[in-house]
Amino acid sequence: MKFRHLALNTAAPLAGIAAFAAIAAPAAHADTLVDNVDGIRVDADGSVQRFGAILIDDDGRVEKLYRRGAKLPKDPDYQVDGEGRVLLPGFIDGHVHVSRVGFNAIGLDLSGAATMAEALNRIADYARRNPNKPWIIGRGWNEVVWGLGRLPTAAEIDAAVPDRPVWLIRADDHAGWANSAAMERAGITVATKTPDGGRIERGAGGKPTGVFVDAARQLVETKLPAPLPEERDIALLQAQDIFLKRGITSVADMGTTLLDWQSMRRQADLGRMQLRIVSYADGVDDMVTIAGPGPTPWLYGDRLKLAGLKLYLDGALGSRGAWLSAPYADAPDQTGLQRLSGTQLRNLMSRAAMDDFQVAVHAIGDAANAEVLDAVEEMKDNYPGDRRWRIEHAQVVNPADLPRFGSLGVVASMQPHHQVSDRTMAEARLSPDRLAGAYAWRSILAGGARLAFGSDAPVEVPDVFEGLADAITRQDANGEPFGGWQPQEAISREQALAAYTAGAAYAMGADGKFGTLAEGEWADFVFVTVDPLLASPAQLREGRVLSTWIAGRKVWSAQGNVAAPASGR
Ligand SMILES: [Zn+2]
C-alpha cells in the first residue's frame, strides 16, 4: 500500500510505475503442503516440537507447521505426501573445508587404506592411471591406522613412484608426506631451516625424511601447480553433492580463499549452487579482498555469505602440533606449536572485529584454548555486542576454562567424531589424567555456551547420524569403550540434534534464516530413515537420508530423479 501511495502521488517516473505494477499485480501465490510426515523441530536449547505437516510459501520459506491431526489447508497448489517418514531440519555442518572435500573426491584418496602397503599400491595405481599429471597429489593417510609406530618416509613412496613428485596430506590435514622427487623440486636439503610454527621430520645427520608438519608444509606446497579454475568448479560441485547426499543443507567453510570464493560465485551465478555456505576467510588478505569493508551481504537467496575470519593458533594432537600447557606425555621435549604470538593473535582478531567480521580461531591444545579465551576477555570491552567469537575444535581444555566459553559468549565449534577417532591417540599424547576437559560437550553446555557440531570434512566423513551416535554415547561403532569414554560428557539426543542444526546456525550468524524450521525460516529439511530421538545408537549409525530439500525444493533424493535447479535462488 505504501508503494501504491507513493506511485500515485509523485510525478510517476517510469521506474515508479514499474515498481507499482510489480507490487500490485496479483501475486502468483503458490503454496506447497508437505503432509503425512513425522516432523521434528528442535530449538537451540534442545526443546522439541513434533508436527505432522509443513506449509511452504512460494519463496520456499516455512509458512506454518501443523500438529498431527490439525486441520490442514484445503487446495494447496502443490502437495507432497511424506508417507509417514521422519522429517528433520536440514543438517548444518559447522566446520568443513569445502574445496578440500571436492578436491579429495576428484583426487587420490588414501583414507581407508588399512596398511602402508595398501596406500603405496593406491599411489602407484593412481600414478599409472594419470600419466600426464605433473605432480601426484593426494591425502588421507594415517600411520596410526597402519600400526606403523613411526611416520612414513620419502623412500617408501620412491619405491612406488620414483620419477614424479608426490605430495600426500595426512588425514588430520596437519602434515604432508613427500617423495624424493618432490623434495628435490622444492629444493629441500639437510640445510633447509625449519620455519616457525612448523616441523621437519629429520633422520641421520638432520636429513629431512619426507614428512613436513604444519607451517613446514609450505616448503613444498608453494611449489605445487595451481588447479585450473574449471578444476576448482568441478571440485566445488562434487563437494556440494557429497553434502547434499548426507542431508547437509548448510556448511561453514573454514578457510575460504579468494579462488574458492570466485568459484562459489561462478557456480552460484550459473544457478548451480543449492548448498548454503557461510565462509570464514583464510586470513586477513583474503577477507579484505573478498569482502572489503565488512562481511558481505547474504547472496543468492541466503546461500552464500562471507561472515568472518579463520585463524589457526595451533596444530593437531596427532602430529603433536596442538599447543599444550605441559609437555606431551609421549614426547617430553615438546609442547606443540604456537602458530601465532599473543600479540599477533590479538592484532588479527582486532583487525577482523573492528570491521564487524566474526572471528573463528582453531585451538586444540589447552594452552591454545586458554590463550583465545584470554584474548576474547581482553577485547570484549573494545568490541562489545553480539560478536559470536568461535573456537574451532576446543578439544583439550583446562577444566577451569570450560565455564569461560559461556561467560565470555564464545561458541564452541566441535566435532563429535574426533572424540571417537582420537581417543586412544589422545590418551597416549596426554596421559589420561590430563584429559578431564577433553571433548567436554556437556560441561561446555552446562556453562551456558553455545555448541555447534560439525565434521571437519574432509578430516572426517560428514556423517551426521554417526556424529549423533558419538555424541550421545561417546562410544565407537563397536560399542568401545564399554560405558563410553568419559561418559559424563555425553549429551542428550535433543542437545546433539540441536548442535547439528540450530546451534550450528547460530554459530554462523544464520539464526532466524534457517536451522529450526520456525515460521519465516527457509524450508530446508531432510527425510530420513530413523527418528534420532528414539532410535538406538546402533540404529542411528545405520540412519540414511532419503531426500534433501532446500528452500522448499528437493535438491537430492536417494532415488535419483531430482530436477536440475532452474535458477540460483
Ligand atoms: Zn578444520
Side-chain angles (χ1 to χ4, degrees):
M1 288 303 113
K2 192 173 161 207
F3 284 96
R4 183 178 181 186
H5 180 77
L6 278 176
L8 292 176
N9 286 285
T10 58
L14 279 176
I17 289 171
F20 168 61
I23 298 292
H29 191 69
D31 287 336
T32 302
L33 181 70
V34 183
D35 64 2
N36 191 20
V37 303
D38 185 4
I40 299 172
R41 58 159 297 206
V42 56
D43 283 329
D45 65 0
S47 63
V48 168
Q49 184 192 329
R50 299 244 173 199
F51 58 91
I54 176 170
L55 186 67
I56 301 164
D57 72 12
D58 188 34
D59 289 338
R61 295 176 195 273
V62 177
E63 205 168 322
K64 196 168 164 53
L65 298 180
Y66 297 87
R67 287 185 186 284
R68 229 169 303 171
K71 198 159 169 267
L72 298 177
K74 285 197 180 68
D75 306 322
D77 301 284
Y78 301 98
Q79 199 159 0
V80 176
D81 180 0
E83 296 173 332
R85 303 279 193 186
V86 176
L87 183 156
L88 303 173
F91 299 139
I92 303 177
D93 193 318
H95 183 124
V96 304
H97 303 278
V98 173
S99 70
R100 295 213 307 261
V101 167
F103 279 116
N104 268 12
I106 61 175
L108 167 59
D109 180 11
L110 298 176
S111 61
T115 62
M116 179 151 71
E118 188 186 338
L120 291 172
N121 275 338
R122 286 194 200 176
I123 296 163
D125 181 58
Y126 184 87
R128 244 189 325 273
R129 285 187 289 112
N130 292 277
N132 298 323
K133 283 203 191 296
W135 279 68
I136 303 300
I137 298 168
R139 63 167 50 245
W141 59 273
N142 185 347
E143 83 291 349
V144 177
V145 172
W146 302 340
L148 209 54
R150 61 170 173 84
L151 288 163
T153 66
E156 281 148 343
I157 313 179
D158 292 347
V161 183
D163 51 339
R164 265 186 287 171
V166 177
W167 178 245
L168 307 166
I169 304 297
R170 194 176 185 278
D172 70 355
D173 203 53
H174 285 273
W177 174 24
N179 67 350
S180 297
M183 290 201 286
E184 199 174 299
R185 201 70 68 87
I188 289 161
T189 66
V190 67
T192 301
K193 289 207 177 65
T194 303
D196 284 344
R199 191 170 72 244
I200 300 175
E201 292 296 322
R202 295 177 192 267
K207 194 165 168 268
T209 53
V211 171
F212 299 82
V213 181
D214 285 320
R217 285 172 47 177
Q218 289 299 313
L219 296 169
V220 178
E221 289 183 351
T222 49
K223 305 296 188 294
L224 300 181
L228 301 170
E230 46 270 49
E231 290 174 318
R232 289 187 175 280
D233 294 353
I234 290 167
L236 173 62
L237 296 177
Q238 282 280 336
Q240 169 171 256
D241 279 355
I242 287 169
F243 291 120
L244 297 182
K245 189 188 292 185
R246 298 277 182 185
I248 293 165
T249 52
S250 311
V251 297
D253 186 37
M254 284 294 152
T256 309
T257 66
L258 175 61
L259 293 170
D260 294 336
W261 179 261
Q262 287 172 322
S263 180
M264 292 167 187
R265 293 293 303 256
R266 272 196 301 277
Q267 294 307 303
D269 284 344
L270 292 169
R272 292 179 184 154
M273 293 308 293
Q274 293 296 337
L275 180 72
R276 303 187 192 278
I277 302 177
V278 176
S279 279
Y280 294 80
D282 188 33
V284 167
D285 287 350
D286 282 310
M287 178 184 87
V288 173
T289 312
I290 291 169
T296 69
W298 287 92
L299 304 165
Y300 309 104
D302 295 344
R303 279 185 173 75
L304 184 64
K305 177 187 171 87
L306 187 120
L309 173 67
K310 169 78 184 294
L311 299 171
Y312 285 89
L313 184 53
D314 67 350
L317 268 182
S319 47
R320 297 192 190 86
W323 178 26
L324 302 180
S325 58
Y328 278 83
D330 57 358
D333 58 332
Q334 294 180 33
T335 54
L337 302 170
Q338 181 184 355
R339 292 170 71 174
L340 298 168
S341 71
T343 306
Q344 285 172 321
L345 174 70
R346 285 159 179 78
N347 284 346
L348 290 166
M349 288 173 72
S350 291
R351 176 64 191 84
M354 72 186 188
D355 283 339
D356 294 324
F357 289 99
Q358 200 187 351
V359 177
V361 188
H362 167 117
I364 287 185
D366 56 354
N369 278 279
E371 180 76 11
V372 181
L373 292 166
D374 288 348
V376 170
E377 189 160 9
E378 290 160 31
M379 291 191 322
K380 262 184 96 66
D381 293 341
N382 285 336
Y383 302 107
D386 183 1
R387 295 285 173 168
R388 303 202 189 175
W389 313 93
R390 297 174 55 135
I391 292 186
E392 303 304 314
H393 309 307
Q395 283 178 15
V396 181
V397 180
N398 182 332
D401 284 332
L402 289 171
R404 298 174 74 200
F405 283 80
S407 61
L408 296 170
V410 174
V411 178
S413 164
M414 302 178 76
Q415 297 75 33
H417 200 61
H418 282 164
Q419 184 271 302
V420 171
S421 330
D422 292 358
R423 171 174 60 90
T424 45
M425 180 271 289
E427 287 180 344
R429 297 283 183 275
L430 281 114
S431 75
D433 54 307
R434 286 164 62 192
L435 288 166
Y439 314 94
W441 312 314
R442 179 180 285 266
S443 294
I444 282 175
L445 280 177
R450 303 286 195 130
L451 188 59
F453 274 166
S455 63
D456 202 12
V459 176
E460 304 281 5
V461 174
D463 182 342
V464 173
F465 297 105
E466 178 179 64
L468 290 168
D470 295 338
I472 64 173
T473 63
R474 295 175 72 94
Q475 291 175 325
D476 65 19
N478 302 318
E480 296 287 335
F482 181 74
W485 189 79
Q486 299 193 4
Q488 73 280 3
E489 293 295 348
I491 56 174
S492 74
R493 293 154 182 274
E494 292 77 8
Q495 287 169 327
L497 186 57
Y500 271 115
T501 53
Y506 175 87
M508 57 176 80
D511 43 320
K513 289 189 177 290
F514 50 84
T516 73
L517 291 176
E519 286 168 18
E521 287 191 7
W522 290 110
D524 296 356
F525 57 89
V526 288
F527 280 105
V528 299
T529 56
V530 294
D531 180 335
L533 305 184
L534 298 175
S536 73
Q539 289 169 329
L540 249 182
R541 287 181 196 280
E542 295 297 309
R544 292 289 172 268
V545 175
L546 297 167
S547 59
T548 304
W549 301 62
I550 294 179
R553 297 164 64 149
K554 196 195 299 188
V555 294
W556 182 84
S557 165
Q559 289 157 348
N561 303 325
V562 174
S567 74
R569 68 160 220 188

